[in-house]
Short mmCIF file of all heavy atoms in Angstrom, two decimals:
data_model
loop_
_atom_site.label_atom_id
_atom_site.label_comp_id
_atom_site.label_asym_id
_atom_site.label_seq_id
_atom_site.Cartn_x
_atom_site.Cartn_y
_atom_site.Cartn_z
N LEU F 25 -13.75 -3.96 -2.37
CA LEU F 25 -13.65 -5.34 -2.85
C LEU F 25 -14.88 -5.78 -3.63
O LEU F 25 -14.86 -6.82 -4.29
CB LEU F 25 -13.41 -6.29 -1.67
CG LEU F 25 -12.07 -6.17 -0.95
CD1 LEU F 25 -11.99 -7.16 0.20
CD2 LEU F 25 -10.90 -6.37 -1.91
N GLU F 26 -15.93 -4.98 -3.59
CA GLU F 26 -17.08 -5.25 -4.45
C GLU F 26 -16.70 -5.15 -5.92
O GLU F 26 -17.32 -5.78 -6.79
CB GLU F 26 -18.21 -4.27 -4.12
CG GLU F 26 -19.46 -4.45 -4.97
CD GLU F 26 -20.57 -3.48 -4.61
OE1 GLU F 26 -20.46 -2.80 -3.56
OE2 GLU F 26 -21.53 -3.38 -5.39
N TRP F 27 -15.67 -4.35 -6.22
CA TRP F 27 -15.24 -4.12 -7.60
C TRP F 27 -13.90 -4.73 -7.93
O TRP F 27 -13.61 -4.99 -9.09
CB TRP F 27 -15.18 -2.62 -7.88
CG TRP F 27 -16.51 -1.95 -7.92
CD1 TRP F 27 -17.35 -1.81 -9.00
CD2 TRP F 27 -17.18 -1.34 -6.82
NE1 TRP F 27 -18.50 -1.14 -8.63
CE2 TRP F 27 -18.41 -0.83 -7.29
CE3 TRP F 27 -16.87 -1.15 -5.47
CZ2 TRP F 27 -19.33 -0.18 -6.49
CZ3 TRP F 27 -17.77 -0.49 -4.65
CH2 TRP F 27 -18.99 -0.01 -5.16
N ALA F 28 -13.03 -4.92 -6.95
CA ALA F 28 -11.65 -5.34 -7.21
C ALA F 28 -11.28 -6.57 -6.38
O ALA F 28 -11.87 -6.81 -5.32
CB ALA F 28 -10.69 -4.20 -6.88
N GLY F 29 -10.29 -7.29 -6.86
CA GLY F 29 -9.86 -8.48 -6.16
C GLY F 29 -9.04 -8.21 -4.91
O GLY F 29 -9.01 -9.01 -3.97
N ALA F 30 -8.35 -7.06 -4.89
CA ALA F 30 -7.57 -6.64 -3.73
C ALA F 30 -7.41 -5.14 -3.80
O ALA F 30 -7.44 -4.55 -4.88
CB ALA F 30 -6.21 -7.33 -3.67
N VAL F 31 -7.22 -4.52 -2.63
CA VAL F 31 -7.07 -3.07 -2.53
C VAL F 31 -5.93 -2.80 -1.56
O VAL F 31 -5.87 -3.40 -0.48
CB VAL F 31 -8.36 -2.40 -2.04
CG1 VAL F 31 -8.17 -0.88 -1.93
CG2 VAL F 31 -9.54 -2.74 -2.95
N SER F 32 -5.03 -1.88 -1.94
CA SER F 32 -3.93 -1.55 -1.03
C SER F 32 -3.87 -0.06 -0.79
O SER F 32 -4.16 0.75 -1.68
CB SER F 32 -2.59 -2.06 -1.58
OG SER F 32 -2.25 -1.40 -2.78
N ALA F 33 -3.50 0.28 0.42
CA ALA F 33 -3.26 1.67 0.83
C ALA F 33 -1.84 1.75 1.34
O ALA F 33 -1.46 1.04 2.28
CB ALA F 33 -4.25 2.11 1.91
N SER F 34 -1.02 2.59 0.72
CA SER F 34 0.39 2.67 1.09
C SER F 34 0.63 3.82 2.04
O SER F 34 -0.10 4.81 2.08
CB SER F 34 1.26 2.82 -0.16
OG SER F 34 0.84 3.92 -0.94
N GLY F 35 1.69 3.68 2.82
CA GLY F 35 2.07 4.69 3.80
C GLY F 35 3.19 4.16 4.66
O GLY F 35 3.97 3.30 4.22
N ALA F 36 3.28 4.65 5.89
CA ALA F 36 4.34 4.18 6.77
C ALA F 36 4.26 2.67 6.97
O ALA F 36 5.28 1.97 7.06
CB ALA F 36 4.25 4.91 8.11
N VAL F 37 3.04 2.16 7.08
CA VAL F 37 2.77 0.72 7.08
C VAL F 37 1.76 0.46 5.98
O VAL F 37 0.62 0.94 6.04
CB VAL F 37 2.22 0.23 8.44
CG1 VAL F 37 1.93 -1.27 8.37
CG2 VAL F 37 3.21 0.54 9.56
N ASP F 38 2.15 -0.26 4.95
CA ASP F 38 1.24 -0.55 3.85
C ASP F 38 0.19 -1.57 4.29
O ASP F 38 0.51 -2.53 5.01
CB ASP F 38 2.01 -1.11 2.65
CG ASP F 38 2.96 -0.10 2.04
OD1 ASP F 38 2.87 1.09 2.38
OD2 ASP F 38 3.81 -0.52 1.22
N HIS F 39 -1.05 -1.36 3.86
CA HIS F 39 -2.13 -2.28 4.16
C HIS F 39 -2.69 -2.83 2.85
O HIS F 39 -3.06 -2.06 1.96
CB HIS F 39 -3.24 -1.59 4.94
CG HIS F 39 -2.91 -1.31 6.38
ND1 HIS F 39 -1.86 -0.51 6.76
CD2 HIS F 39 -3.49 -1.74 7.53
CE1 HIS F 39 -1.81 -0.45 8.09
NE2 HIS F 39 -2.77 -1.19 8.57
N VAL F 40 -2.75 -4.15 2.74
CA VAL F 40 -3.33 -4.83 1.58
C VAL F 40 -4.55 -5.60 2.05
O VAL F 40 -4.45 -6.46 2.94
CB VAL F 40 -2.31 -5.78 0.92
CG1 VAL F 40 -2.97 -6.52 -0.25
CG2 VAL F 40 -1.08 -5.02 0.45
N VAL F 41 -5.69 -5.31 1.45
CA VAL F 41 -6.95 -5.93 1.85
C VAL F 41 -7.45 -6.79 0.70
O VAL F 41 -7.51 -6.34 -0.45
CB VAL F 41 -8.00 -4.86 2.22
CG1 VAL F 41 -9.34 -5.50 2.55
CG2 VAL F 41 -7.50 -4.02 3.39
N SER F 42 -7.79 -8.04 1.01
CA SER F 42 -8.35 -8.97 0.03
C SER F 42 -9.42 -9.79 0.74
O SER F 42 -9.59 -9.68 1.96
CB SER F 42 -7.25 -9.88 -0.52
OG SER F 42 -6.89 -10.86 0.44
N PRO F 43 -10.15 -10.63 0.00
CA PRO F 43 -11.14 -11.47 0.68
C PRO F 43 -10.53 -12.38 1.74
O PRO F 43 -11.24 -12.85 2.64
CB PRO F 43 -11.74 -12.28 -0.47
CG PRO F 43 -11.59 -11.39 -1.66
CD PRO F 43 -10.27 -10.71 -1.47
N ALA F 44 -9.22 -12.63 1.66
CA ALA F 44 -8.56 -13.49 2.64
C ALA F 44 -8.17 -12.75 3.92
O ALA F 44 -7.74 -13.39 4.88
CB ALA F 44 -7.32 -14.12 2.03
N GLY F 45 -8.32 -11.43 3.96
CA GLY F 45 -7.98 -10.68 5.17
C GLY F 45 -7.13 -9.46 4.86
O GLY F 45 -7.09 -8.98 3.72
N THR F 46 -6.44 -8.97 5.88
CA THR F 46 -5.62 -7.77 5.77
C THR F 46 -4.17 -8.10 6.06
O THR F 46 -3.86 -8.74 7.06
CB THR F 46 -6.11 -6.69 6.75
OG1 THR F 46 -7.47 -6.36 6.46
CG2 THR F 46 -5.26 -5.43 6.64
N THR F 47 -3.30 -7.66 5.17
CA THR F 47 -1.86 -7.84 5.34
C THR F 47 -1.22 -6.49 5.59
O THR F 47 -1.49 -5.53 4.87
CB THR F 47 -1.23 -8.49 4.10
OG1 THR F 47 -1.89 -9.72 3.82
CG2 THR F 47 0.26 -8.74 4.31
N ARG F 48 -0.39 -6.40 6.62
CA ARG F 48 0.35 -5.18 6.93
C ARG F 48 1.82 -5.41 6.62
O ARG F 48 2.40 -6.40 7.07
CB ARG F 48 0.16 -4.80 8.40
CG ARG F 48 -1.27 -4.38 8.73
CD ARG F 48 -1.44 -4.08 10.22
NE ARG F 48 -1.20 -5.28 11.02
CZ ARG F 48 -2.10 -6.24 11.19
NH1 ARG F 48 -3.29 -6.17 10.61
NH2 ARG F 48 -1.81 -7.30 11.93
N ILE F 49 2.40 -4.49 5.87
CA ILE F 49 3.78 -4.60 5.43
C ILE F 49 4.56 -3.41 5.96
O ILE F 49 4.26 -2.26 5.63
CB ILE F 49 3.85 -4.65 3.89
CG1 ILE F 49 3.05 -5.84 3.37
CG2 ILE F 49 5.29 -4.73 3.41
CD1 ILE F 49 2.46 -5.64 2.02
N THR F 50 5.53 -3.68 6.77
CA THR F 50 6.34 -2.64 7.41
C THR F 50 7.71 -2.58 6.75
O THR F 50 8.26 -3.60 6.34
CB THR F 50 6.50 -2.94 8.91
OG1 THR F 50 5.21 -3.09 9.50
CG2 THR F 50 7.23 -1.81 9.62
N GLY F 51 8.25 -1.39 6.67
CA GLY F 51 9.59 -1.24 6.11
C GLY F 51 9.64 -0.07 5.16
O GLY F 51 8.72 0.75 5.09
N GLY F 52 10.70 -0.02 4.40
CA GLY F 52 10.86 1.09 3.46
C GLY F 52 11.62 2.24 4.08
O GLY F 52 12.27 2.10 5.12
N SER F 53 11.54 3.39 3.46
CA SER F 53 12.29 4.56 3.90
C SER F 53 11.49 5.81 3.61
O SER F 53 10.75 5.88 2.62
CB SER F 53 13.63 4.64 3.15
OG SER F 53 14.25 5.89 3.33
N VAL F 54 11.63 6.81 4.47
CA VAL F 54 10.97 8.08 4.23
C VAL F 54 11.46 8.72 2.93
O VAL F 54 10.75 9.54 2.33
CB VAL F 54 11.19 9.04 5.42
CG1 VAL F 54 12.66 9.48 5.50
CG2 VAL F 54 10.27 10.24 5.35
N LEU F 55 12.63 8.32 2.45
CA LEU F 55 13.14 8.87 1.19
C LEU F 55 12.28 8.45 0.00
O LEU F 55 12.35 9.09 -1.06
CB LEU F 55 14.58 8.44 0.99
CG LEU F 55 15.61 9.14 1.90
CD1 LEU F 55 16.98 8.49 1.76
CD2 LEU F 55 15.69 10.63 1.59
N LEU F 56 11.47 7.43 0.14
CA LEU F 56 10.52 7.09 -0.92
C LEU F 56 9.58 8.26 -1.21
O LEU F 56 9.11 8.43 -2.33
CB LEU F 56 9.70 5.86 -0.53
CG LEU F 56 10.38 4.50 -0.64
CD1 LEU F 56 9.52 3.44 0.04
CD2 LEU F 56 10.62 4.13 -2.10
N THR F 57 9.30 9.07 -0.19
CA THR F 57 8.40 10.20 -0.36
C THR F 57 9.12 11.43 -0.90
O THR F 57 8.48 12.46 -1.13
CB THR F 57 7.73 10.57 0.98
OG1 THR F 57 8.71 11.06 1.91
CG2 THR F 57 7.04 9.35 1.59
N ARG F 58 10.42 11.34 -1.11
CA ARG F 58 11.20 12.46 -1.61
C ARG F 58 11.65 12.26 -3.06
O ARG F 58 12.40 13.07 -3.59
CB ARG F 58 12.44 12.67 -0.72
CG ARG F 58 12.12 12.99 0.73
CD ARG F 58 11.49 14.37 0.87
NE ARG F 58 11.22 14.71 2.27
CZ ARG F 58 10.05 14.55 2.86
NH1 ARG F 58 9.02 14.05 2.17
NH2 ARG F 58 9.88 14.87 4.12
N VAL F 59 11.19 11.19 -3.67
CA VAL F 59 11.53 10.89 -5.05
C VAL F 59 10.23 10.77 -5.84
O VAL F 59 9.37 9.94 -5.51
CB VAL F 59 12.34 9.58 -5.16
CG1 VAL F 59 12.59 9.22 -6.62
CG2 VAL F 59 13.67 9.71 -4.41
N THR F 60 10.07 11.57 -6.87
CA THR F 60 8.86 11.54 -7.68
C THR F 60 8.74 10.21 -8.41
O THR F 60 9.68 9.76 -9.07
CB THR F 60 8.88 12.67 -8.72
OG1 THR F 60 8.89 13.92 -8.03
CG2 THR F 60 7.66 12.61 -9.61
N GLY F 61 7.59 9.58 -8.27
CA GLY F 61 7.31 8.37 -9.03
C GLY F 61 7.36 7.08 -8.26
O GLY F 61 7.04 6.02 -8.82
N THR F 62 7.73 7.11 -7.00
CA THR F 62 7.81 5.84 -6.27
C THR F 62 6.43 5.22 -6.06
O THR F 62 6.27 4.00 -6.15
CB THR F 62 8.52 6.02 -4.91
OG1 THR F 62 7.88 7.05 -4.16
CG2 THR F 62 9.99 6.38 -5.13
N GLY F 63 5.43 6.05 -5.81
CA GLY F 63 4.08 5.53 -5.66
C GLY F 63 3.49 5.07 -6.99
O GLY F 63 2.89 4.00 -7.09
N CYS F 64 3.66 5.88 -8.03
CA CYS F 64 3.15 5.52 -9.35
C CYS F 64 3.79 4.23 -9.86
O CYS F 64 3.11 3.36 -10.42
CB CYS F 64 3.40 6.65 -10.33
SG CYS F 64 2.53 8.18 -9.96
N SER F 65 5.09 4.11 -9.66
CA SER F 65 5.77 2.90 -10.12
C SER F 65 5.37 1.69 -9.30
O SER F 65 5.39 0.55 -9.82
CB SER F 65 7.29 3.10 -10.09
OG SER F 65 7.75 3.42 -8.79
N LEU F 66 5.00 1.89 -8.03
CA LEU F 66 4.48 0.79 -7.24
C LEU F 66 3.21 0.23 -7.88
O LEU F 66 3.02 -0.98 -7.95
CB LEU F 66 4.21 1.24 -5.80
CG LEU F 66 3.47 0.24 -4.90
CD1 LEU F 66 4.19 -1.09 -4.83
CD2 LEU F 66 3.28 0.84 -3.51
#
């Protein structure tokens, strides 16, 4: 956050970190990991 306004790490539970705190986002499907480009398009 020294360089960016927010930072996110995706996975089984996505975590979004900003100066306001940490947001955890649950959901999605394991099939997202079986299709090329789902992370890049995110």
Side-chain angles (χ1 to χ4, degrees):
L25 293 179
E26 180 179 348
W27 291 272
V31 180
S32 65
S34 54
V37 179
D38 294 347
H39 285 61
V40 177
V41 177
S42 74
T46 300
T47 304
R48 293 177 297 280
I49 301 150
T50 305
S53 167
V54 69
L55 287 171
L56 284 169
T57 67
R58 299 291 182 263
V59 176
T60 297
T62 54
C64 295
S65 58
L66 171 56

